[in-house]
Amino acid sequence: MLVEGTEFLEPIYSNESAIFRILYNVIDNSLKYSQPQTPIKISVEKQPTYIRISIKDFGQGIAEAELEKIFQRTYRIEKSRNQTTGGNGLGLSIAKKLLENLGGNISVCSKEGEGSTFCIEVPYRV
């Protein structure tokens, strides 16, 4: 895992357990949908009122038709409910709800066969 951009960040005054759960859910998905030994790149960018954390994987990617649905409760791209590649489709929904409660946002850019980048925006203060 490669982490970039943490040198000049301000502290965040937020809900620590919520931030942990958000990052855990997104990173866990990135690892599940990537081949073993594939890197995950995490970068942090300072904005005027929030930080942006980008989590990029080089996995299978997400079809454009699926992108709007992946944050819906119990929605899974993997329809077989295979426990190896996922659980019951709650992780990204939970991450989105927690971020909304903190005044933040989550979005995704993806291309099939090239991986996905999740952008998490967390306000400096709740």
Side-chain angles (χ1 to χ4, degrees), residues 11-112:
I12 298 172
Y13 300 96
S14 191
N15 181 326
E16 181 180 348
S17 62
I19 299 295
F20 175 84
R21 175 53 56 195
I22 293 160
L23 293 174
Y24 178 87
N25 288 357
V26 175
I27 292 169
D28 186 54
N29 270 10
S30 293
L31 293 171
K32 282 180 188 174
Y33 291 99
S34 296
Q35 294 297 317
Q37 307 302 316
T38 303
I40 303 292
K41 180 180 176 185
I42 301 172
S43 54
V44 183
E45 181 183 339
K46 181 179 176 181
Q47 297 294 320
T49 59
Y50 62 90
I51 64 163
R52 178 180 295 127
I53 304 166
S54 299
I55 300 169
K56 178 171 181 47
D57 68 57
F58 300 90
Q60 65 191 43
I62 304 166
E64 189 173 337
E66 307 273 354
L67 286 175
E68 290 184 28
K69 302 172 188 173
I70 64 169
F71 295 107
Q72 294 174 4
R73 186 175 164 82
T74 69
Y75 187 82
R76 289 197 54 209
I77 294 169
E78 165 60 62
K79 304 295 186 229
S80 71
R81 303 284 182 197
N82 178 346
Q83 292 297 310
T84 305
T85 57
N88 45 21
L90 296 174
L92 292 177
S93 173
I94 289 169
K96 182 176 178 68
K97 185 65 175 169
L98 289 171
L99 273 163
E100 288 172 350
N101 290 344
L102 298 174
N105 188 39
I106 185 170
S107 61
V108 61
C109 296
S110 187
K111 192 167 189 179
E112 281 188 285

